[in-house]
Amino acid sequence: MAHRWDPDRYLTYADERGRPFVELVARIGAAEPRTVVDLGCGPGNLTALLADRWPGASVTGLDSSPEMIERARAAGARVAFGVADLREWVSTGSTGDEAASTDEDLVDVLVSNATLQWVPGHLDLLGGLVGRVRPGGWFAFQVPGNFDEPSHTIRRDLAAGSPYAEHTRDVAVPSSHDPAVYLDRLAALGCTVDAWETTYLHVLTGEDPVFAWVSGTGARPTLQALPDDLRADFEEEFKRRLRAAYPQHHYGVVLPFRRIFVVARTPE
């Protein structure tokens, strides 16, 4: 079954989720771009920052989730929002590693924040994404790199057992590569690449905060795939194991979160 995103749940930790976006965009050297696209814009709260950064640009936010785009449009930002699948957007006007066929297909700045990890085989899409950027333009993306952490391995191990496996075996699961892999692939395409990683130590508060975090992102497809009569038990055991893996301190619960950043300048 196709999962649906919940903008309110996703925005529970909006500040923590937004910080990598801000740090990614800060490394983009574009001065006065004409067209800026946020591919996988979610609820649009961060896309609005692109309009602030480049007030003279035409800024567009695209996401495959109608729920996210509905929320983004309701915010009334100075941005055009639309529903679009990343893979289809890549193929519009360009094929493979070739540049888009007309200038109208090209953008000056392409940003994709915490999205590519949901696209299987996204490494092979990098050529097409670069092909949608004007020569000398900028392509920047950020993906999580924490898939070996308990927040993911606990969900994976629990979902693989009975009685859950028959419902969860085909759910969407995010994945990414190390920064050196992205650097090598984009450099082979002629780009000048700045790639790095950062591990944030998010201090979370509230009841079962790590579960609240992952239930809005990485664990959401799994939770939605479970029938109602199994979901409650799954969630309770998931929470119990997360509490053991991420203990409560007097100042909150620490969630280490590794993220991968890439900023590429396309060849002139």
Side-chain angles (χ1 to χ4, degrees):
M1 61 175 290
H3 60 277
R4 302 182 311 280
W5 294 111
D6 182 340
D8 291 328
R9 183 174 288 270
Y10 180 82
L11 289 169
T12 299
Y13 296 104
D15 182 64
E16 290 85 353
R17 296 193 198 280
R19 181 177 170 186
F21 181 92
V22 172
E23 295 178 6
L24 175 73
V25 172
R27 295 292 295 168
I28 300 174
E32 296 181 350
R34 290 176 292 166
T35 54
V36 177
V37 170
D38 183 4
L39 200 53
C41 66
N45 57 311
L46 298 175
T47 315
L49 300 179
L50 300 178
D52 294 336
R53 167 79 183 273
W54 296 294
S58 171
V59 180
T60 301
L62 301 173
D63 200 281
S64 62
S65 166
E67 294 84 4
M68 288 292 197
I69 291 301
E70 181 180 3
R71 178 62 173 266
R73 287 171 172 164
R78 295 165 290 114
V79 177
F81 290 103
V83 177
D85 182 270
L86 183 150
R87 287 157 293 197
E88 294 177 358
W89 186 85
V90 169
S91 65
T92 302
S94 63
T95 56
D97 293 348
E98 299 177 359
S101 58
T102 67
D103 187 68
E104 290 76 16
D105 293 324
L106 302 176
V107 302
D108 297 304
V109 176
L110 176 60
V111 178
S112 185
N113 182 63
T115 297
L116 289 176
Q117 74 274 10
W118 288 107
V119 182
H122 65 261
L123 199 63
D124 294 330
L125 286 178
L126 295 183
L129 289 164
V130 169
R132 293 301 307 271
V133 180
R134 286 191 177 89
W138 298 81
F139 170 41
F141 64 90
Q142 177 270 128
V143 290
N146 66 331
F147 301 117
D148 291 328
E149 292 295 316
S151 55
H152 286 274
T153 60
I154 290 172
R155 178 210 54 79
R156 183 169 64 236
D157 293 345
L158 186 58
S162 177
Y164 310 117
E166 64 179 294
H167 304 285
T168 63
R169 63 171 55 96
D170 295 323
V171 299
V173 176
S175 66
S176 64
H177 302 276
D178 288 338
V181 175
Y182 294 118
L183 187 155
D184 185 69
R185 181 62 60 93
L186 288 165
L189 294 170
C191 297
T192 302
V193 186
D194 179 12
W196 71 99
E197 64 180 78
T198 297
T199 298
Y200 298 91
L201 298 181
H202 297 304
V203 179
L204 309 180
T205 58
E207 184 177 358
D208 291 310
V210 178
F211 175 81
W213 180 294
V214 300
S215 64
T217 51
R220 186 165 178 80
T222 297
L223 296 175
Q224 285 197 325
L226 293 169
D228 293 342
D229 60 334
L230 293 179
R231 188 180 302 113
D233 288 344
F234 182 96
E235 290 186 353
E236 188 56 39
E237 179 61 15
F238 193 12
K239 290 175 182 178
R240 187 190 68 79
R241 296 188 190 186
L242 287 173
R243 285 194 295 267
Y246 300 94
Q248 177 75 46
H249 302 277
H250 71 274
Y251 50 80
V253 174
V254 179
L255 174 65
F257 204 119
R258 175 176 177 250
R259 291 188 182 269
I260 310 301
F261 299 81
V262 180
V263 176
R265 184 85 185 269
T266 60
E268 298 280 359

